[in-house]
Amino acid sequence: WSVDVHQNQFQPCADDYLTSYLNRADVKAAIHVKGDIEWSDCTYHIKYDQKDGSNSMVPIYKYLIDGNYGLNILVYSGDDDSVCSTIGTQSWIWDMGYKTTGRTWVPYEVSQQTAGYLTKWTDNKLAFLTVHGAGHEVPTYKPEVALHLWNDYIDGKFTTK
């Protein structure tokens, strides 16, 4: 696949690349999606009930944390997120009443640069990570950091139990 930047054929729209990628036959096969499914970024056919947006997820988190399911829970937030602000996320996490490990806002580094700040809680597997310079969709804004945090999550590096 080649792109000729000099003849204005290059269109730097991430949504177009994502749609093209997800509609490839090999990608559909790899993620077990029927071949006749066509991905699109947006739809105007589905109507969402906007009142659900004000429902608190805190009871769900408490259920998952207190239910002894052994789940590793990482909540991460881009510090430039205008949809779900980091300060709002911090508020509900701290308001749940769990005790931190005593070390809050530990720098999280990727490629020898501070990429955000990490806080862990004791007696559960809850962690909160900010991602510096990221908006609502962290992987879109900071793909390298998103990959690192995903790998660290899978490797259990955010848990205290």
Side-chain angles (χ1 to χ4, degrees), residues 21-153:
Y21 177 76
L22 291 174
N23 282 319
R24 286 178 19 191
D26 62 323
V27 173
K28 289 180 187 179
I31 61 175
H32 307 285
V33 172
K34 293 179 183 178
D36 63 342
I37 300 293
E38 286 295 316
W39 170 267
S40 66
D41 188 35
C42 295
T43 180
Y44 296 101
H45 301 291
I46 299 173
K47 302 293 183 212
Y48 294 100
D49 189 348
Q50 296 298 320
K51 69 181 178 211
D52 289 342
S54 61
N55 291 342
S56 174
M57 294 282 88
V58 170
I60 304 296
Y61 277 92
K62 287 188 137 199
Y63 170 82
L64 295 173
I65 292 167
D66 297 339
N68 294 319
Y69 299 108
L71 299 173
N72 296 330
I73 298 176
L74 171 66
V75 177
Y76 63 92
S77 180
D79 63 10
D80 286 341
D81 188 339
S82 63
V83 178
C84 299
S85 70
T86 300
I87 194 74
T89 304
Q90 292 172 54
S91 178
W92 69 259
I93 290 176
W94 265 265
D95 285 351
M96 287 195 296
Y98 299 111
K99 296 195 184 313
T100 65
T101 59
R103 294 188 67 218
T104 58
W105 305 112
V106 175
Y108 178 70
E109 292 188 357
V110 173
S111 299
Q112 301 172 345
Q113 296 290 316
T114 299
Y117 295 91
L118 177 67
T119 299
K120 298 179 187 179
W121 279 260
T122 58
D123 300 325
N124 60 48
K125 295 181 175 185
L126 173 65
F128 173 61
L129 177 66
T130 65
V131 180
H132 182 62
H136 188 63
E137 296 169 341
V138 169
T140 300
Y141 293 89
K142 296 291 182 172
E144 180 184 13
V145 175
L147 178 61
H148 278 267
L149 78 85
W150 173 252
N151 288 331
D152 286 347
Y153 171 78

